[in-house]
Amino acid sequence: STSWKGTLPGWVAYDLSGISDSQRNKILFAWYNCDTYDYDPTVLNKESYGMPKTYTIEGNTAAGGSTAPTSGWKSLATVTNNVYHSRQHLIDFSGYNWVRINITAANGSNNSYVSINIDIHSAPQGATDSWIFYGDSITAGGMVLHAGNNFAQLINASKSSYYPAAECGGTGAILSSHGVSKID
């Protein structure tokens, strides 16, 4: 329920060195832009706000600590021309201690800033507990990720060993005909 808001270009880094190698050899890096209502605002030509458009997810082998390394970053995933308000990346993180998202461009009415929440999940067996819920405004409002008691938090409260990765794929006012027009 917190967001990082930064000017572009900008980045956020996390030290994962305190997590055992077996729990961080593969990670699921998920980011969410909660300022944009629709999962894909381009479907109905709606506005987005501070949504990452071009970015890399990077790893670094430097020792953990309180200050992120200034060099030695290696690109592990690259995205250009993103239109979605959230994304998940399953990443081979073997040998790395630091992870960061480095954002160089944003979508939105003011594309000089970005606003995201980040979750990093241990995924040694892949994305076995990863969800996306597609639908219309009911899905967009009901599966919102930035409010307390969201899907992942409710699952965790019931089964404390689980905290699923979940994206809200809702787009307000979308109809079945919009989906049909996108399917070849």
Side-chain angles (χ1 to χ4, degrees), residues 124-150:
Q125 297 172 2
T128 58
D129 198 12
S130 174
W131 302 81
I132 187 163
F133 299 93
Y134 291 108
D136 59 12
S137 60
I138 296 166
T139 303
M143 298 308 294
V144 67
L145 297 169
H146 65 280
N149 295 320
N150 65 39

Tab-separated table of all heavy atoms in Angstrom, residues 124-150:
chain	number	residue	atom	x	y	z
A	124	PRO	N	11.271	-20.136	-6.691
A	124	PRO	CA	12.229	-21.168	-7.123
A	124	PRO	C	11.610	-22.223	-8.040
A	124	PRO	O	12.328	-22.863	-8.805
A	124	PRO	CB	12.728	-21.779	-5.812
A	124	PRO	CG	11.713	-21.433	-4.793
A	124	PRO	CD	11.085	-20.148	-5.245
A	125	GLN	N	10.291	-22.386	-8.000
A	125	GLN	CA	9.631	-23.363	-8.856
A	125	GLN	C	8.786	-22.694	-9.933
A	125	GLN	O	7.884	-23.295	-10.491
A	125	GLN	CB	8.805	-24.309	-7.995
A	125	GLN	CG	9.742	-25.055	-7.099
A	125	GLN	CD	9.094	-25.892	-6.045
A	125	GLN	OE1	7.890	-25.994	-5.939
A	125	GLN	NE2	9.954	-26.476	-5.270
A	126	GLY	N	9.086	-21.427	-10.203
A	126	GLY	CA	8.363	-20.691	-11.222
A	126	GLY	C	7.209	-19.896	-10.642
A	126	GLY	O	7.055	-19.781	-9.428
A	127	ALA	N	6.400	-19.364	-11.525
A	127	ALA	CA	5.275	-18.509	-11.126
A	127	ALA	C	4.048	-19.372	-10.860
A	127	ALA	O	3.034	-19.276	-11.535
A	127	ALA	CB	4.996	-17.481	-12.206
A	128	THR	N	4.153	-20.225	-9.837
A	128	THR	CA	3.078	-21.172	-9.543
A	128	THR	C	1.929	-20.551	-8.763
A	128	THR	O	0.871	-21.159	-8.659
A	128	THR	CB	3.623	-22.380	-8.749
A	128	THR	OG1	4.216	-21.889	-7.545
A	128	THR	CG2	4.658	-23.133	-9.567
A	129	ASP	N	2.144	-19.374	-8.203
A	129	ASP	CA	1.083	-18.703	-7.448
A	129	ASP	C	0.963	-17.260	-7.936
A	129	ASP	O	1.081	-16.313	-7.179
A	129	ASP	CB	1.393	-18.750	-5.950
A	129	ASP	CG	0.163	-18.487	-5.092
A	129	ASP	OD1	-0.957	-18.489	-5.641
A	129	ASP	OD2	0.328	-18.283	-3.877
A	130	SER	N	0.740	-17.132	-9.232
A	130	SER	CA	0.651	-15.831	-9.886
A	130	SER	C	-0.686	-15.740	-10.617
A	130	SER	O	-1.051	-16.668	-11.339
A	130	SER	CB	1.809	-15.693	-10.877
A	130	SER	OG	1.692	-14.516	-11.620
A	131	TRP	N	-1.377	-14.617	-10.428
A	131	TRP	CA	-2.737	-14.481	-10.937
A	131	TRP	C	-2.909	-13.153	-11.666
A	131	TRP	O	-2.284	-12.170	-11.322
A	131	TRP	CB	-3.731	-14.502	-9.779
A	131	TRP	CG	-3.654	-15.726	-8.950
A	131	TRP	CD1	-2.754	-15.993	-7.950
A	131	TRP	CD2	-4.477	-16.874	-9.057
A	131	TRP	NE1	-2.986	-17.234	-7.428
A	131	TRP	CE2	-4.050	-17.794	-8.083
A	131	TRP	CE3	-5.558	-17.206	-9.875
A	131	TRP	CZ2	-4.651	-19.031	-7.913
A	131	TRP	CZ3	-6.153	-18.437	-9.692
A	131	TRP	CH2	-5.696	-19.330	-8.723
A	132	ILE	N	-3.798	-13.152	-12.659
A	132	ILE	CA	-4.287	-11.911	-13.245
A	132	ILE	C	-5.785	-12.086	-13.458
A	132	ILE	O	-6.240	-13.130	-13.936
A	132	ILE	CB	-3.569	-11.503	-14.545
A	132	ILE	CG1	-4.035	-10.115	-14.979
A	132	ILE	CG2	-3.726	-12.533	-15.633
A	132	ILE	CD1	-3.139	-9.426	-15.986
A	133	PHE	N	-6.533	-11.082	-13.049
A	133	PHE	CA	-7.986	-11.119	-13.130
A	133	PHE	C	-8.430	-10.127	-14.199
A	133	PHE	O	-8.252	-8.927	-14.042
A	133	PHE	CB	-8.597	-10.750	-11.773
A	133	PHE	CG	-8.203	-11.707	-10.686
A	133	PHE	CD1	-7.098	-11.459	-9.895
A	133	PHE	CD2	-8.931	-12.866	-10.486
A	133	PHE	CE1	-6.723	-12.357	-8.899
A	133	PHE	CE2	-8.567	-13.768	-9.493
A	133	PHE	CZ	-7.459	-13.511	-8.698
A	134	TYR	N	-8.997	-10.644	-15.308
A	134	TYR	CA	-9.464	-9.805	-16.403
A	134	TYR	C	-10.956	-9.538	-16.255
A	134	TYR	O	-11.706	-10.360	-15.740
A	134	TYR	CB	-9.220	-10.490	-17.753
A	134	TYR	CG	-7.776	-10.607	-18.121
A	134	TYR	CD1	-7.128	-11.829	-18.092
A	134	TYR	CD2	-7.039	-9.487	-18.499
A	134	TYR	CE1	-5.791	-11.949	-18.434
A	134	TYR	CE2	-5.706	-9.593	-18.837
A	134	TYR	CZ	-5.092	-10.834	-18.805
A	134	TYR	OH	-3.768	-10.940	-19.129
A	135	GLY	N	-11.381	-8.397	-16.751
A	135	GLY	CA	-12.801	-8.086	-16.741
A	135	GLY	C	-13.043	-6.613	-16.970
A	135	GLY	O	-12.184	-5.886	-17.470
A	136	ASP	N	-14.226	-6.160	-16.576
A	136	ASP	CA	-14.642	-4.775	-16.780
A	136	ASP	C	-14.419	-3.956	-15.507
A	136	ASP	O	-13.549	-4.266	-14.700
A	136	ASP	CB	-16.095	-4.729	-17.255
A	136	ASP	CG	-17.058	-5.388	-16.266
A	136	ASP	OD1	-16.649	-5.676	-15.121
A	136	ASP	OD2	-18.219	-5.601	-16.632
A	137	SER	N	-15.224	-2.919	-15.312
A	137	SER	CA	-15.044	-2.035	-14.160
A	137	SER	C	-15.284	-2.755	-12.829
A	137	SER	O	-14.712	-2.380	-11.802
A	137	SER	CB	-15.978	-0.820	-14.261
A	137	SER	OG	-17.324	-1.249	-14.306
A	138	ILE	N	-16.113	-3.784	-12.838
A	138	ILE	CA	-16.348	-4.548	-11.607
A	138	ILE	C	-15.048	-5.225	-11.181
A	138	ILE	O	-14.664	-5.204	-10.012
A	138	ILE	CB	-17.486	-5.570	-11.795
A	138	ILE	CG1	-18.796	-4.826	-12.061
A	138	ILE	CG2	-17.605	-6.491	-10.583
A	138	ILE	CD1	-19.917	-5.694	-12.576
A	139	THR	N	-14.341	-5.805	-12.134
A	139	THR	CA	-13.037	-6.406	-11.846
A	139	THR	C	-12.038	-5.332	-11.456
A	139	THR	O	-11.293	-5.488	-10.484
A	139	THR	CB	-12.525	-7.180	-13.075
A	139	THR	OG1	-13.499	-8.155	-13.442
A	139	THR	CG2	-11.201	-7.853	-12.787
A	140	ALA	N	-12.007	-4.233	-12.203
A	140	ALA	CA	-11.048	-3.148	-11.917
A	140	ALA	C	-11.232	-2.607	-10.505
A	140	ALA	O	-10.263	-2.342	-9.797
A	140	ALA	CB	-11.200	-2.024	-12.942
A	141	GLY	N	-12.481	-2.443	-10.080
A	141	GLY	CA	-12.737	-1.921	-8.747
A	141	GLY	C	-12.608	-2.974	-7.659
A	141	GLY	O	-12.125	-2.698	-6.564
A	142	GLY	N	-13.004	-4.198	-7.966
A	142	GLY	CA	-12.999	-5.257	-6.970
A	142	GLY	C	-11.651	-5.889	-6.724
A	142	GLY	O	-11.396	-6.428	-5.651
A	143	MET	N	-10.786	-5.862	-7.705
A	143	MET	CA	-9.474	-6.497	-7.565
A	143	MET	C	-8.354	-5.464	-7.449
A	143	MET	O	-7.195	-5.771	-7.683
A	143	MET	CB	-9.210	-7.436	-8.747
A	143	MET	CG	-10.204	-8.584	-8.851
A	143	MET	SD	-10.419	-9.547	-7.323
A	143	MET	CE	-8.824	-10.282	-7.136
A	144	VAL	N	-8.706	-4.251	-7.074
A	144	VAL	CA	-7.719	-3.178	-6.936
A	144	VAL	C	-6.601	-3.638	-5.988
A	144	VAL	O	-6.834	-4.357	-5.026
A	144	VAL	CB	-8.397	-1.873	-6.466
A	144	VAL	CG1	-8.932	-2.007	-5.054
A	144	VAL	CG2	-7.461	-0.708	-6.589
A	145	LEU	N	-5.369	-3.250	-6.303
A	145	LEU	CA	-4.218	-3.756	-5.565
A	145	LEU	C	-3.679	-2.815	-4.504
A	145	LEU	O	-2.950	-3.232	-3.628
A	145	LEU	CB	-3.098	-4.092	-6.553
A	145	LEU	CG	-3.473	-5.211	-7.525
A	145	LEU	CD1	-2.452	-5.319	-8.626
A	145	LEU	CD2	-3.617	-6.517	-6.791
A	146	HIS	N	-4.014	-1.556	-4.548
A	146	HIS	CA	-3.400	-0.617	-3.613
A	146	HIS	C	-4.173	-0.438	-2.320
A	146	HIS	O	-3.685	0.155	-1.392
A	146	HIS	CB	-3.152	0.736	-4.281
A	146	HIS	CG	-4.398	1.447	-4.685
A	146	HIS	ND1	-5.067	1.127	-5.827
A	146	HIS	CD2	-5.094	2.442	-4.100
A	146	HIS	CE1	-6.124	1.904	-5.948
A	146	HIS	NE2	-6.175	2.701	-4.907
A	147	ALA	N	-5.341	-0.965	-2.229
A	147	ALA	CA	-6.135	-0.817	-1.007
A	147	ALA	C	-5.789	-1.925	-0.016
A	147	ALA	O	-5.294	-2.978	-0.399
A	147	ALA	CB	-7.619	-0.874	-1.345
A	148	GLY	N	-6.056	-1.699	1.251
A	148	GLY	CA	-5.896	-2.759	2.237
A	148	GLY	C	-6.873	-3.882	1.936
A	148	GLY	O	-7.890	-3.676	1.282
A	149	ASN	N	-6.563	-5.063	2.391
A	149	ASN	CA	-7.400	-6.240	2.173
A	149	ASN	C	-7.586	-6.581	0.701
A	149	ASN	O	-8.660	-6.951	0.276
A	149	ASN	CB	-8.766	-6.088	2.852
A	149	ASN	CG	-8.628	-6.031	4.357
A	149	ASN	OD1	-7.816	-6.761	4.918
A	149	ASN	ND2	-9.383	-5.173	4.994
A	150	ASN	N	-6.510	-6.459	-0.082
A	150	ASN	CA	-6.597	-6.889	-1.468
A	150	ASN	C	-6.457	-8.413	-1.532
A	150	ASN	O	-6.266	-9.082	-0.519
A	150	ASN	CB	-5.565	-6.155	-2.344
A	150	ASN	CG	-4.130	-6.493	-1.990
A	150	ASN	OD1	-3.790	-7.626	-1.688
A	150	ASN	ND2	-3.271	-5.484	-2.020
